[in-house]
Amino acid sequence: MSISALSGSSAAAIGLSGMRAAQLRLDTSAHNVANAQTPDFQRQVVTQTARPGLGGVDVQIGQDAAGTPASGDFAHLAEDLVAQRMSVYSFTANLRTVETEDRMLGSLLDTRA
């Protein structure tokens, strides 16, 4: 099933947007952990907002609001590690949504055939 074939507020489109958001959160937290001791490193944060009319989420990466370099600072290490684990769970949950819609559509097609 191609992503372009999915329309607006279908369960699959909502699930796919959640999967993309989870992947971006995972990538961002991994980036923060990997670069924590880099000189003048600026920690990245992910902002996730709901799409009211369409369903699903929009995600953006930005700089940490503190605005101070996190070089050598492990204050956010636990937060980033937890974010990685939560991203995996979120991705899995959204994947289950897509798989469930796929099974339901398959059942519907079998019934109609």
Side-chain angles (χ1 to χ4, degrees):
M1 173 184 312
S2 76
I3 294 174
S4 61
L6 300 172
S7 62
S9 64
S10 73
I14 293 168
L16 285 172
S17 75
M19 289 168 63
R20 283 191 290 277
Q23 182 64 53
L24 191 57
R25 283 188 179 283
L26 180 63
D27 293 346
T28 301
S29 60
H31 170 80
N32 289 339
V33 170
N35 293 295
Q37 290 189 314
T38 303
D40 297 326
F41 171 70
Q42 193 71 25
R43 189 171 182 277
Q44 294 180 344
V45 293
V46 175
T47 305
Q48 184 172 315
T49 55
R51 287 188 273 175
L54 300 172
V57 293
D58 287 321
V59 184
Q60 294 182 346
I61 296 177
Q63 298 297 321
D64 193 0
T68 58
S71 177
D73 179 16
F74 289 102
H76 296 286
L77 182 60
E79 181 182 328
D80 287 323
L81 294 174
V82 169
Q84 288 178 7
R85 179 56 69 184
M86 289 175 56
S87 296
V88 171
Y89 291 142
S90 177
F91 187 93
T92 303
N94 282 288
L95 176 60
R96 297 291 180 257
T97 301
V98 173
E99 291 173 339
T100 300
E101 183 185 48
D102 186 52
R103 275 195 317 273
M104 290 173 61
L105 287 175
S107 296
L108 180 62
L109 291 174
D110 289 344
T111 303
R112 296 262 185 194

